[in-house]
Amino acid sequence: MVANAVQIRLSVNGESHDLEVEPRTLLVYALRDDIGLTGTNIGCDSSSCGACTVLVDGRSVKSCTMLAVQAEGAEITTIEGLAATSDGDGLHPMQQAFHEYHGLQCGYCTPGMILASVSLIDEYPDLDESGVREGLEGNLCRCTGYNNIVKAVLQVAGKEA
Amino acid sequence: MAVTDDTTRAGGIGARMLRKEDGKLVTGEAEFVDDIHAPGELWMGMVRSTVAHARIAAIDTSGAASMPGVQSVLTGAQLADMELWVAPLPCAWPVTDDMVNPPHWPVATDMVHHVGELVAVVLAESRFAAADAIEHVIVEYESQPPVATVEQAMADVDHAHLEHSTNKAYTWAIDPDPDGTQAAIAAAAHVVSARFVQQRLIPVAIEPRGVLAVPSPMGGDITLYSTTQVPHVLRVMVAATTGLPEQKLRVIAPAVGGGFGAKLNVNPDEILAVALSHRLGRAVRWTETRSEAAGSTHQGRGQIQHVELASDADGKLTAIRVKIDADMGAYMTLLTPGVPLLGSFLYHGVYDTPKFSFTCEGWFTNRTPTDAYRGAGRPEASYAIERAMDMLAYEVGIGTDEIRRRNYINGGEPFEMWENPAGLSFDSGHYGPTLDRALELADVAGLRAEQQRRRETGAIRQLGIGLCTYVEICGLAPSRALGGLNYGAGGWEHATVRILPTGKVEVVSGSTPHGQGHETSWSQIIATKMGISPDDVTVLHSDTALSPLGLDTYGSRSLSVGGVAIAMAADKVIEKARKIAAHQFEAAPEDVEFVDGSFSVAGTPSKSVHIQELGFAAFTAHDLPDGMEPNLQEQVSFDPPNFAFPFGTHVAVVEIDEDTGGVELIGYYAVDDCGNQVNPLIVEGQIHGGVVQGAAQALYEVAVYDDDANIINPSLMNYLVPSAAEMPSIVTDSTCTPSTTNPLGVKGVGEAGTIGSAAAVINAVVDALRPHGVTDIEMPASPMRVRRTIEQADGGAS
Ligand code: FES
Ligand code: FES
């Protein structure tokens, strides 16, 4: 029961998914409801919170600001696929750092926060504390007060606080 | 780097153990309510009132009902005819016998009383079909004059509920000696008289609320998944409201994305999901949108405070008199009327204040109901006394640290069981050292010199330094005390501890986490008690089928009530295991020692058995002492004999750009004393988050309503939750004054940060603006408000 459905193919975490979606479907709903990758969360309706952040061709994108159809042809990485993009066999270094620095409490903002952080230090490898704080401005956390998130990101950036 | 020290992995009480919860959360494996699906589920689309106060003249559902994917559209009147509920939504805290409590039905039938109140429900096959359909339900309203503010409520010209001739809901007071208070104020050398506004706040847990009710039509059972802090309370209340048998109802709070009080209510959507799924035999669900939350989830604060603080010539306090006008919103939800009372006992703060008088009046307005929000009543109290103390310091002409020192209970020296004038016994306290340490940590002496330099050079960016020395009341609560306050439940907490046949340990927790790290902390308690690895412990929680008894998580109660119950249950298991060990050793239990997880007979160390090995003996039950029941499992319901009273000193440092009015929080130092700490890493995290929430009240957040009681900033576009960019690094330290209320000596820390920070930040803002003659500023201290305050002060001075 999909009105005016369109067929799309999305590449997510290295796997290809053929979907039938309404043209208006946002990427975040395609990921969550159609593909079942529920690690990407939704925290707002104004592109303000960043809970829905994913990587599109390696750059962080709020997946509530993009239509699923616009993501065709791109490689999307969600939190479920992040660990596999790193060398080790466990967590991605950013996931590990969030754990070791207690950078999460309820964990709802965490997938988006981690992916935004991965993209941030990839783009600006030389960040200091204020750079990390500015760079994560689009991701809200209500639990941690950001203290330990910032420390975790700085550690991965090689700038231990 | 501290996090790789051996101690961080060791894992007993006091270790900075990394959290067990994290793995699922950093990989997306954790399931939140909106992640869980049931076959055949129907989505509720909520049709909400767009006016604050009106009679519903007509509802046309025909357009919506014929839309694709729509199963049905039900108005409030139709739902009432279906007899889906037997009672209105509950208020568990009727604070006085004559409190006005207008019936609050899940869906309005003829009158609406706030924007966002439900008027009809769409049931549809998908979330988008439901969302589309609600736009096509046409509701005709006959508007009534709304009561948009507390001041309007107090004027009592228009009425929030037409059937009541006053907006006043109740008057509640603690006033042991009104004449004495009056005499002390009349005779005082200094009296600070102030009016503070605690603006309404939107709690904004980043996970919106949501529900999924799954029936088993043949068995008559219903499972309710809810983004709730209180699965146990919810189960009782859903049963009482719907009339469905409690034993058929299972409530599960899966991963829950923050609560802060906003998820401790009993909400219309929860009742609707259960009742409709039961009636239709299909799963029913709903997930809130962020903007919808301004009408579908309760808000916090909303008080006007009048404070008179009296002292002698030296600034020694003689009396405090407080009058609160509290905005209930349109209805009494679960704890609405009691929230101001939770602060009532603390209006004298950490100061020895001989005369004390507190009165609160609750008022109905046509706005979203208020209820608990992080700190619930206590941030308001601490704000009022801490702002007033700063004002008094200026009056007396002494420093803001000195005024505090002169008034600390027991002169800032250690004490136990101090009787406060509101009738409580503070378990323990030692206030001097947190102030000393905070001043040192922040280098307040250096900051004062820099402040002086900037003042003398007329710098654009002026410095302000603010102190707050708070005390809070947590560990809710002794059941008898709650009974005395007309609260409709107890305050105990339940725990079960069992050693499984293979020696692993299962803990069943009545208190329910949503970010606080219970699985880690409870494992640490067991590790220390039993001398085992925390990795051998699993904590079950948040599901009434696994954990049938509990009173859940709010009021910084989890550790000091629930954690203590776990420690006590562990002790009972150890005692039973000791008897089995003694039986195996053919010794008397009194002669059997328990050290590092092993039982042995004193003086015969060769004979020893580890407690984890005894799990199997208790399971097979082949050779237990005569009369002993099989299995190693014990449970405890712990009812605390008293509250716990954590405290601390916070220092906020702000820079104000006097040209733009912009306030930047550039430093924050928190020295807290929550008694013994089970996991300092988690304690610090709670402080960090709490501090930012309080600072956000001070500087950014306010739910803005227009004259018609419409909320105008319901989305995160214009409701300003701070990001990392606005916040500084927070520097923490602690002192340790164990609680005397419980055997672990723990107090509670979930709300402390918030209770300390709003006052510290505003004290800093006012401190920066002092040279202009500014004595107060309302929250939030936005750039526009700061500029206006400076202009008014300068104009007034010239
Ligand atoms: S859900 Fe995408 S930014 Fe909030
Ligand atoms: S950890 Fe809860 S919102 Fe960030």
Side-chain angles (χ1 to χ4, degrees):
Chain A
M1 193 245 13
V2 180
N4 328 310
V6 293
Q7 310 282 337
I8 59 169
R9 173 168 296 177
L10 292 184
S11 177
V12 186
N13 303 329
E15 272 183 47
S16 174
H17 298 266
D18 290 310
L19 307 178
E20 194 181 79
V21 297
E22 284 184 66
R24 64 173 176 171
T25 303
L26 297 170
L27 177 58
V28 65
Y29 287 110
L31 293 171
R32 289 180 52 79
D33 291 352
D34 296 313
I35 303 179
L37 290 170
T38 54
T40 306
N41 291 327
I42 298 172
C44 74
D45 47 13
S46 55
S47 314
S48 311
C49 75
C52 63
T53 303
V54 298
L55 301 181
V56 177
D57 291 331
R59 287 279 169 268
S60 66
V61 168
K62 291 178 176 176
S63 62
C64 72
T65 63
M66 189 176 200
L67 296 171
V69 294
Q70 293 175 298
E72 269 203 300
E75 178 53 42
I76 298 158
T77 305
T78 69
I79 195 69
E80 290 91 342
L82 180 66
T85 66
S86 63
D87 304 336
D89 48 10
L91 299 173
H92 183 280
M94 192 64 78
Q95 291 170 316
Q96 185 65 29
F98 269 63
H99 172 54
E100 291 197 356
Y101 283 84
H102 187 32
L104 64 149
Q105 291 178 26
C106 79
Y108 195 78
C109 72
T110 307
M113 198 65 87
I114 286 176
L115 290 165
S117 303
V118 167
S119 171
L120 180 69
I121 62 170
D122 185 47
E123 202 167 352
Y124 306 99
D126 212 24
L127 286 175
D128 60 3
E129 178 181 335
S130 71
V132 171
R133 288 183 176 275
E134 297 292 333
L136 293 178
E137 195 175 23
N139 289 71
L140 299 179
C141 174
R142 198 58 152 168
C143 298
T144 64
Y146 306 104
N147 241 56
N148 294 341
I149 290 175
V150 173
K151 280 191 195 161
V153 178
L154 284 170
Q155 190 257 335
V156 178
K159 308 261 175 64
E160 262 162 57
Chain B
M1 182 170 86
V3 291
T4 56
D5 286 357
D6 280 353
T7 50
T8 63
R9 315 274 181 194
I13 290 177
R16 300 173 68 85
M17 185 174 136
L18 300 181
R19 294 201 323 168
K20 293 182 152 195
E21 288 84 349
D22 292 352
K24 283 178 166 188
L25 294 165
V26 298
T27 54
E29 188 185 316
E31 288 200 308
F32 295 89
V33 170
D34 194 67
D35 301 346
I36 300 167
H37 293 275
E41 62 190 18
L42 286 169
W43 288 81
M44 291 191 285
M46 304 300 203
V47 182
R48 299 185 179 278
S49 177
T50 53
V51 290
H53 192 191
R55 186 172 300 286
I56 300 169
I59 303 182
D60 179 357
T61 60
S62 57
S66 61
M67 289 176 70
V70 173
Q71 199 252 11
S72 57
V73 183
L74 298 165
T75 66
Q78 288 168 325
L79 287 158
D81 286 345
M82 290 166 72
E83 296 181 352
L84 293 169
W85 32 78
V86 297
L89 292 160
C91 172
W93 202 344
V95 294
T96 60
D97 293 338
D98 61 353
M99 182 186 87
V100 179
N101 184 14
H104 183 200
W105 297 101
V107 184
T109 51
D110 58 339
M111 295 291 297
V112 290
H113 296 101
H114 68 90
V115 170
E117 184 168 3
L118 280 174
V119 295
V121 177
V122 171
L123 288 163
E125 304 288 343
S126 75
R127 67 170 101 215
F128 303 108
D132 289 345
I134 59 178
E135 304 292 328
H136 291 85
V137 176
I138 298 162
V139 187
E140 227 178 277
Y141 297 101
E142 284 165 9
S143 285
Q144 303 292 327
V147 177
T149 64
V150 180
E151 289 90 339
Q152 283 177 26
M154 293 166 68
D156 249 339
V157 176
D158 296 317
H159 296 113
H161 291 266
L162 295 179
E163 67 278 22
H164 293 289
S165 57
T166 173
N167 293 309
K168 189 190 288 187
Y170 67 84
T171 302
W172 190 91
I174 311 174
D175 207 355
D177 179 13
D179 296 342
T181 305
Q182 173 55 34
I185 292 172
H190 300 283
V191 179
V192 165
S193 187
R195 173 184 183 274
F196 301 120
V197 177
Q198 297 287 334
Q199 77 270 33
R200 267 181 178 250
L201 300 175
I202 306 180
V204 195
I206 302 294
E207 180 202 28
R209 289 199 312 102
V211 292
L212 166 64
V214 184
S216 91
M218 291 303 124
D221 300 338
I222 295 190
T223 301
L224 172 64
Y225 297 86
S226 179
T227 56
T228 185
Q229 297 173 225
V230 292
H232 297 93
V233 172
L234 188 59
R235 183 185 190 217
V236 178
M237 293 302 183
V238 169
T241 307
T242 59
L244 294 172
E246 189 179 347
Q247 80 280 12
K248 295 282 191 187
L249 216 58
R250 173 180 181 188
V251 178
I252 299 176
V256 174
F260 315 111
K263 292 177 181 168
L264 62 60
N265 229 311
V266 178
N267 297 285
D269 39 88
E270 291 164 321
I271 302 299
L272 278 164
V274 169
L276 287 169
S277 70
H278 177 69
R279 186 62 60 90
L280 303 173
R282 284 181 74 174
V284 173
R285 71 178 312 144
W286 169 76
T287 298
E288 183 179 70
T289 66
R290 176 59 59 197
S291 301
E292 186 178 21
S296 55
T297 293
H298 71 249
Q299 299 178 355
R301 316 284 189 258
Q303 295 184 0
I304 298 174
Q305 306 169 301
H306 301 270
V307 179
E308 294 163 279
L309 185 64
S311 81
D312 69 13
D314 298 326
K316 189 95 183 62
L317 298 185
T318 53
I320 183 164
R321 183 161 60 197
V322 179
K323 162 77 200 304
I324 306 293
D325 292 300
D327 179 358
M328 306 284 101
Y331 295 104
M332 298 302 195
T333 61
L334 196 67
L335 305 179
T336 303
V339 168
L341 277 54
L342 285 171
S344 64
F345 306 99
L346 296 176
Y347 273 86
H348 61 76
V350 286
Y351 314 113
D352 200 342
T353 313
K355 295 294 172 193
F356 177 89
S357 160
F358 174 91
T359 309
C360 176
E361 292 183 333
W363 300 93
F364 288 110
T365 59
N366 291 116
R367 304 202 285 197
T368 301
T370 57
D371 204 307
Y373 174 55
R374 202 168 192 172
R378 291 152 289 161
E380 296 94 313
S382 127
Y383 184 87
I385 180 66
E386 290 300 295
R387 287 286 304 116
M389 286 301 276
D390 265 31
M391 291 174 163
L392 182 64
Y394 295 133
E395 285 266 339
V396 177
I398 58 176
T400 54
D401 51 346
E402 181 56 24
I403 192 87
R404 288 173 167 81
R405 277 188 221 286
R406 284 186 193 178
N407 285 290
Y408 281 149
I409 291 163
N410 201 30
E413 295 299 315
F415 66 83
E416 282 181 11
M417 299 308 276
W418 179 78
E419 301 296 321
N420 97 331
L424 296 182
S425 288
F426 284 19
D427 58 343
S428 62
H430 188 191
Y431 300 145
T434 66
L435 176 64
D436 296 340
R437 179 71 186 120
L439 295 176
E440 178 187 54
L441 201 60
D443 183 21
V444 167
L447 288 168
R448 287 283 174 214
E450 171 62 12
Q451 180 185 50
Q452 197 51 38
R453 192 191 66 75
R454 294 196 196 186
R455 283 180 178 173
E456 281 163 8
T457 57
I460 299 296
R461 293 180 75 83
Q462 289 291 326
L463 210 55
I465 301 134
L467 287 181
C468 171
T469 58
Y470 72 89
V471 62
E472 67 144 324
I473 178 172
C474 60
L476 306 183
S479 296
R480 279 189 185 173
L482 293 179
L485 290 168
N486 262 13
Y487 183 72
W492 48 264
E493 194 48 87
H494 193 81
T496 303
V497 173
R498 53 180 166 258
I499 300 183
L500 301 172
T502 58
K504 305 297 184 193
V505 176
E506 250 172 13
V507 172
V508 184
S509 172
S511 70
T512 297
H514 35 282
Q516 298 89 343
H518 289 39
E519 293 176 17
T520 305
S521 300
W522 293 180
S523 298
Q524 290 181 256
I525 292 172
I526 295 294
T528 291
K529 280 283 174 191
M530 292 193 173
I532 67 174
S533 163
D535 295 339
D536 282 350
V537 184
T538 287
V539 180
L540 307 175
H541 57 77
S542 308
D543 176 344
T544 60
L546 296 175
S547 158
L549 294 172
L551 286 171
D552 308 315
T553 292
Y554 49 87
S556 303
R557 68 188 303 274
S558 284
L559 178 57
S560 60
V561 192
V564 170
I566 281 156
M568 293 168 78
D571 284 338
K572 281 171 83 172
V573 169
I574 292 165
E575 284 325 301
K576 182 168 180 181
R578 188 193 305 275
K579 290 193 187 120
I580 302 173
H583 179 70
Q584 291 183 354
F585 299 153
E586 296 176 347
E590 310 81 75
D591 297 333
V592 173
E593 293 176 335
F594 183 58
V595 180
D596 285 341
S598 289
F599 293 102
S600 58
V601 181
T604 324
S606 55
K607 269 192 184 175
S608 111
V609 62
H610 196 272
I611 188 165
Q612 288 178 284
E613 295 171 53
L614 293 174
F616 196 68
F619 167 70
T620 60
H622 293 167
D623 184 23
L624 294 177
D626 287 345
M628 178 182 274
E629 289 179 20
N631 293 314
L632 265 179
Q633 164 172 300
E634 298 290 346
Q635 49 182 327
V636 167
S637 281
F638 174 59
D639 199 342
N642 190 6
F643 300 93
F645 296 84
F647 56 90
T649 300
H650 291 191
V651 178
V653 186
V654 300
E655 242 179 25
I656 298 187
D657 182 322
E658 298 214 326
D659 285 349
T660 64
V663 179
E664 195 182 338
L665 184 60
I666 61 167
Y668 202 95
Y669 304 85
V671 180
D672 296 278
D673 190 323
C674 58
N676 292 331
Q677 299 187 8
V678 172
N679 185 328
L681 192 66
I682 289 177
V683 168
E684 288 161 15
Q686 289 292 318
I687 295 291
H688 296 153
V691 163
V692 167
Q693 252 168 326
Q697 176 177 13
L699 296 179
Y700 307 112
E701 295 182 18
V702 54
V704 183
Y705 284 81
D706 69 12
D707 293 346
D708 295 322
N710 295 304
I711 183 148
I712 63 172
N713 60 343
S715 89
L716 290 177
M717 279 286 236
N718 38 24
Y719 186 85
L720 302 178
V721 171
S723 77
E726 286 83 44
M727 287 292 127
S729 273
I730 296 160
V731 182
T732 57
D733 199 358
S734 60
T735 59
C736 181
T737 308
S739 175
T740 56
T741 300
N742 61 69
L744 291 180
V746 295
K747 290 194 168 184
V749 75
E751 296 158 299
T754 311
I755 290 168
S757 61
V761 172
I762 292 296
N763 280 344
V765 171
V766 173
D767 182 58
L769 301 179
R770 249 345 256 183
H772 296 275
V774 170
T775 56
D776 194 21
I777 188 165
E778 212 174 279
M779 295 186 288
S782 61
M784 206 204 296
R785 189 170 269 157
V786 169
R787 270 304 310 159
R788 208 184 310 131
T789 304
I790 292 173
E791 276 160 26
Q792 277 167 2
D794 289 352
S798 63

